Amino acid sequence: MFSGYDSPVDPILAHVQAQQAPIVALIRRMVECESPSDDPRAVDRFVDLVSAEAAPFARVQTFPGGKFGKHLLCEFALPGPSKKKGEILALGHSDTVWPMGTLAQMPFREADGRLWGPGVLDMKSGIAFFLFAVRALRELDIPVRSRVKLLINSDEEVGSDSSRTLTQETARRAKAVLVIEPGTGLEGKLKTARKGVGDYTITVRGRASHAGVDFSAGASAIVELARQIERVSGFTNLKRGVTVNPGLVSGGSRSNVVAAEARAVIDIRAPRMRDAEILDRKFHALKPFDKRCQLEIHGGLNRPPMERSVGIVQLFRTAQRLARELGVTIEESMTGGGSDGNLTAALGIPTLDGLGAVGEGAHAVNESILINRIPDRTALLAKLIAAL
Ligand SMILES: [Zn+2]
């Protein structure tokens, strides 16, 4: 739990506390620059805003995002030895789940000790914190041993297809990855494990016929799909954290026609790679109940699990110790939601996630962050950068 600031106040924390107003001002500008994943021009505007903020103290590069906005990579100029050893990579995303125009109903506002608005928690505040963490290290002339990069992709909320390779290639050089996604719950727990996420599409092709005149000649794709859904739902194993969710179904043409085609899209989650592999074999082994129907199975794991490795635990312990110096007790958590941290952890790189803002309501109308946690989260990022 957050226990307030004990004296003597950590010098980085004191510095960041004095910066609270400009940090809030930057978050406001970021939230008011809407950036839905499916609007590349809007995302580019947001990326330009972040680039302009970072440019005075970073080498800034962008990469094309295909049908999405551009990806941004910043390498910061930091105090300490000019020849840096090793690399720290911070990961974030510029896109939000909120459609263009959401601001009209959900304007940025400051109330009840919180900042509110689309994308404020997931994850624009995290980006603002990171930029101010770097600034604090520069302004206080705190030596940093490692090269420090920040990669912000534009398609995290829609599966990171266009940024995946860039994320993996950039992370490969890093000794640690810091993901500035929001922390868990109103305590802002860090994330040391994330389930792997994937989806499967089951397409059933049956045989159409007139439901009244020629019922027996038909083989209903919908009935077949319903039985398959019942079967795959049985793959859920809550004890092992494995879940199978048929979240989307479609099919048929009219109520008086035996359906020729039906389709289900099924979300799967698994905390361990081994379970994901078993699940994959089960999906691909599905056979039709009605031999007159054909099944087509597509899909698989989209983000591999972030398994709680020794390296991740070490990184968490470091963060926990540094947080204690700030008067904050920090805990760890596991989540079923994926992030780009899944990709870097799967490469074997110690990855600590949930280092961004503390709040609630990601992807929901009550999206908000706690103002009184802005200083310690920003200071924690600065201290991690200096310590690694
Ligand atoms: Zn996010």
Side-chain angles (χ1 to χ4, degrees):
M1 276 299 289
F2 180 58
S3 59
Y5 305 123
D6 302 332
S7 53
V9 174
D10 180 276
I12 297 181
L13 182 60
H15 185 85
V16 173
Q17 279 172 326
Q19 298 290 311
Q20 177 144 323
I23 298 175
V24 170
L26 177 60
I27 294 171
R28 174 177 196 146
R29 282 169 55 217
M30 286 177 161
V31 171
E32 290 183 341
C33 183
E34 291 178 280
S35 53
S37 316
D38 63 358
D39 190 334
R41 265 192 284 178
V43 171
D44 284 352
R45 275 197 296 276
F46 177 79
V47 170
D48 290 341
L49 189 166
V50 177
S51 304
E53 280 301 308
F57 49 92
R59 195 166 66 89
V60 171
Q61 273 177 283
T62 58
F63 299 84
K67 64 177 172 164
F68 301 104
K70 54 194 173 185
H71 310 306
L72 175 67
L73 182 63
C74 305
E75 181 172 351
F76 298 99
L78 284 161
S82 58
K83 200 137 178 56
K84 305 287 189 196
K85 271 204 188 121
E87 202 165 298
I88 301 166
L89 176 66
L91 262 191
H93 60 89
S94 52
D95 62 328
T96 75
V97 296
W98 297 102
M100 203 63 188
T102 299
L103 268 179
Q105 298 89 48
M106 252 175 87
F108 175 89
R109 66 195 170 97
E110 193 175 331
D112 308 321
R114 297 185 185 195
L115 304 180
W116 306 74
V120 68
L121 176 64
D122 189 7
M123 53 154 289
K124 292 183 171 177
S125 295
I127 299 173
F129 294 179
F130 195 82
L131 293 177
F132 273 88
V134 168
R135 282 174 59 164
L137 293 168
R138 287 170 55 88
E139 285 157 14
L140 296 169
D141 201 27
I142 292 172
V144 174
R145 276 188 296 264
S146 318
R147 276 187 307 280
V148 177
K149 291 183 180 171
L150 169 65
L151 178 61
I152 298 178
N153 68 45
S154 60
D155 61 346
E156 197 273 343
E157 296 291 4
V158 287
S160 300
D161 278 345
S162 90
S163 59
R164 173 175 307 245
T165 310
L166 178 63
T167 300
Q168 289 169 330
E169 289 311 306
T170 313
R172 242 181 259 282
R173 286 185 285 271
K175 58 184 170 186
V177 172
L178 308 176
V179 185
I180 49 181
E181 291 276 4
T184 303
L186 286 173
E187 295 151 332
K189 291 179 184 174
L190 302 185
K191 289 161 183 162
T192 51
R194 281 183 182 270
K195 289 185 185 182
V197 189
D199 57 61
Y200 289 90
T201 302
I202 302 180
T203 307
V204 183
R205 271 179 244 292
R207 199 177 291 165
S209 71
H210 192 297
V213 179
D214 215 8
F215 181 82
S216 303
S220 171
I222 289 180
V223 172
E224 175 66 29
L225 182 65
R227 299 168 95 180
Q228 296 295 342
I229 286 173
E230 186 62 26
R231 175 147 71 182
V232 301
S233 298
F235 299 164
T236 289
N237 183 340
L238 291 179
K239 231 188 257 159
R240 294 191 64 82
V242 176
T243 59
V244 176
N245 177 52
L248 208 59
V249 290
S250 60
S253 54
R254 307 174 62 89
S255 66
N256 61 359
V257 176
V258 174
E261 198 173 300
R263 210 164 68 102
V265 186
I266 296 146
D267 175 285
I268 61 117
R269 313 264 161 167
R272 294 173 203 85
M273 199 60 199
R274 205 156 53 88
D275 288 321
E277 285 162 0
I278 293 170
L279 212 49
D280 191 64
R281 279 201 293 278
K282 285 183 175 170
F283 267 94
H284 285 288
L286 290 174
K287 295 276 180 300
F289 289 88
D290 182 336
K291 300 274 184 305
R292 298 172 301 163
C293 291
Q294 280 125 41
L295 299 186
E296 237 177 67
I297 316 288
H298 288 291
L301 213 52
N302 177 29
R303 289 193 178 102
M306 170 172 148
E307 299 189 39
R308 189 177 177 275
S309 66
V310 174
I312 288 178
V313 173
Q314 271 172 358
L315 199 50
F316 170 70
R317 297 268 178 253
T318 302
Q320 203 173 32
R321 174 173 56 79
L322 297 172
R324 221 171 285 133
E325 296 174 10
L326 300 170
V328 177
T329 305
I330 250 176
E331 283 165 36
E332 62 182 311
S333 64
M334 195 266 205
T335 171
S339 87
D340 289 322
N342 293 55
L343 301 177
T344 61
L347 297 173
I349 300 154
T351 298
L352 191 56
D353 204 335
L355 283 159
V358 182
E360 65 182 337
H363 303 196
V365 286
N366 62 332
E367 180 164 5
S368 53
I369 72 156
L370 302 183
I371 294 174
N372 69 351
R373 299 300 305 271
I374 292 174
D376 76 86
R377 298 301 266 203
T378 306
L380 180 59
L381 285 169
K383 288 170 79 76
L384 266 170
I385 295 168
L388 296 174

